[in-house]
Amino acid sequence: MVAEDHPRSFQAAYWDETFPAVCQRFSVAIALFVLFMGVGAFVEGRYYPERATQAWLLWALEAAAGIVGAGISWLPRLRARVLSITAASAIAVIALICTYHGGVGASAERLATVLGCMLNLLAVLVPWARQAQAVTVLGTLASFGAADPHLVATESMTFPWVVLAAAATTSVCAAVFLHQYRFEAFRRTALQAEEAEISAALADFGETLSRNLGQEGLLEQVNRLAVSALRCDFSSLFLFDERRGVYALASGFGGDPEALADLAGLDFAPDSLPLFARFQPGALIEMADTAEQDLVPPALMERLATASALCAPVARGERIIGILVTGYNARKGAFSRRQCRLALGIAHATAIALENTRLVGDLRAANRLKSEFVATMSHELRTPLNVIMGYTQMLADGAIGPDDPASYAETLDRIHRNAVELLELVSATLDMGRLEAGREAVASGTVHLGQLFAELAREVQPITPAGVALAWRSDFGPEPVLADRVKLKTVLKNLVGNALKFTAAGAVQITARRVENQLAIAVRDTGIGIAPEHLSLIFEMFRQVDSSSTRQHGGVGLGLHIARRLVELMGGTISVESRPGAGSTFTVTLPLRAATPVAAPATAA
Ligand code: ADP
């Protein structure tokens, strides 16, 4: 059940604030009454000297009844009875007025007017709502009824009764409408104050989390702040562990230490509790009494010392990545509107903090990789440049010259090979730049795999170690396929280049086959192989199994990344199988589309 507004708590808060106002306003009403009735008693004595004593005596009694009632209403221990006390006091005063008027046989119209004034004075001045006003009205009518036989009416007795009935009705209406208005104003102000308090608490929460972003103890901070903001006993944050597919406690604060230790040892599979099936982003789940619900076994809740709990999903978009559970060890009952709003806000801020922490981690990793790349790149660029400079210097010094044709040719060949390596490095970096900028477009055309293989065989021949048998085989024969020739060649050259680089002796085979409706090209070598933990990493940018400065093999860690990006651009996939010491097989699969057969030039097979 989602917690909602609690009107009863508003009512209680309203009366807590209104009771003192009732005492105060009733006292003012009595003071005004004593004043005006005093003036009345004085005028009565002047016009009817024979009634003067009675008039002053009754005035004193009325004043005493009013003052005593007002005085008692201020007593703190009678606070809950303020409405009854003030209404009783008002009725006593009114009964005394009626007694006097009946006793002296006064005018019924005058009495009805005095009572009407009194009732409206009370309704307007005293914020005591319809019940107290209605009771006072009934008391008034009864007192007037009792005095009725002794009163003197100028015309019919009906007129005073009509006047009194009208005054009584308007006074009750006034009390009802004023109460509604006051209560609504109170509710609006209270909501605004609560809203401001919630916003301030959440802003404070967000600021603390940003300050602690990426630091240890961030999650404990979340729970600590949740406990203090919600004023509850404990807060625990469970995060979904993608690898194990379970919810596990990431951090907890407050509550029973033994229960927390218990929780730390528990894993919850998403289908282990009905609770998980009920979660939706942005919706709270409230367990007002953990013994009376069917979302989590009550025995488990008892073991975890949880009497009531509020669960807020921590979501990244539509995906729930964790759950924030706050609650009480012993207190049962519904959570307030404020607590619900805060729990949701805290869960939301936590999701943002977790996402930011992940991004900060990614950025740090990317930064580290870039630094490694710059170091590797400088090294890779310097090595062939040094070789080129060394040999050209020797040529310039005449240490090697055309008079020794063998050394001369070999030197020129070395200079050339190093220059080619430099060019490849720069080309790979430019390829990366183009891919990153999204400028690489697929240009499909007719490709004769046999011809492509022959071309590649010629190009990699200079880098093929003496002890490696290089074999090319295509099941397609002269049949052409539709593909982006340039991209396919770049991919294969990278894979074959790696196979030759990491195979000192043995075999490297390149085979092209038709697998269902796919073109599958496998590059298999018997080289050093790759450990399983590195298999998922080698396709990432700048990743190398060995990136140390003392490594034996050249390269900047871009080849496989570029290959994968190009294959994906062509709508295909690239995968690897490998065993350390036994060699590796990289397989590229591309959607096979038939091309119009064209006579194939010479093939290498
Ligand atoms: P580079 O070869 O320039 O270092 P790549 O992206 O082509 O970068 O390869 C990344 C890493 O993957 C290599 O450094 C190497 O550790 C590993 N690797 C790639 N191909 C092979 C292979 N055929 N045998 C063993 N390891 C390989």
Side-chain angles (χ1 to χ4, degrees), residues 323-343:
I323 295 162
L324 181 75
V325 183
T326 46
Y328 294 94
N329 293 130
R331 197 218 79 163
K332 291 178 196 281
F335 287 79
S336 70
R337 207 186 80 96
R338 178 185 158 279
Q339 286 177 312
C340 295
R341 290 281 318 276
L342 278 171

Side-chain angles (χ1 to χ4, degrees), residues 475-545:
D475 286 355
F476 289 83
E479 184 192 344
V481 294
L482 206 60
D484 184 324
R485 191 175 199 281
V486 178
K487 290 191 178 51
L488 183 60
K489 186 176 169 192
T490 309
V491 171
L492 292 179
K493 200 164 177 191
N494 264 318
L495 297 181
V496 177
N498 276 347
L500 294 171
K501 186 159 67 176
F502 295 105
T503 310
V508 172
Q509 290 174 344
I510 300 95
T511 51
R513 288 177 302 128
R514 181 193 300 272
V515 179
E516 292 173 358
N517 210 18
Q518 307 257 328
L519 161 65
I521 304 179
V523 178
R524 183 170 295 120
D525 68 60
T526 56
I528 60 170
I530 305 162
E533 66 269 22
H534 293 128
L535 284 179
S536 60
L537 301 178
I538 54 174
F539 289 98
E540 285 177 21
M541 227 194 286
F542 312 131
R543 287 289 192 153
Q544 296 175 305
V545 171

Side-chain angles (χ1 to χ4, degrees), residues 94-95 97-99 101-102 108 111-112 115 136-151 157 160-161 164-165:
I94 287 167
I97 295 174
C98 292
T99 308
H101 282 74
L111 179 57
L115 295 182
T136 311
V137 162
L138 289 179
T140 307
L141 294 176
S143 305
F144 189 78
D148 177 311
H150 312 288
L151 296 171
M157 260 317 270
W161 272 108
L164 188 58

Side-chain angles (χ1 to χ4, degrees), residues 442-473:
V442 179
S444 286
T446 306
V447 180
H448 287 100
L449 287 175
Q451 185 205 26
L452 180 66
F453 281 6
E455 204 174 303
L456 281 167
R458 263 197 311 280
E459 285 180 25
V460 299
Q461 197 271 327
I463 57 164
T464 307
V468 172
L470 185 58
W472 302 81
R473 217 189 78 206

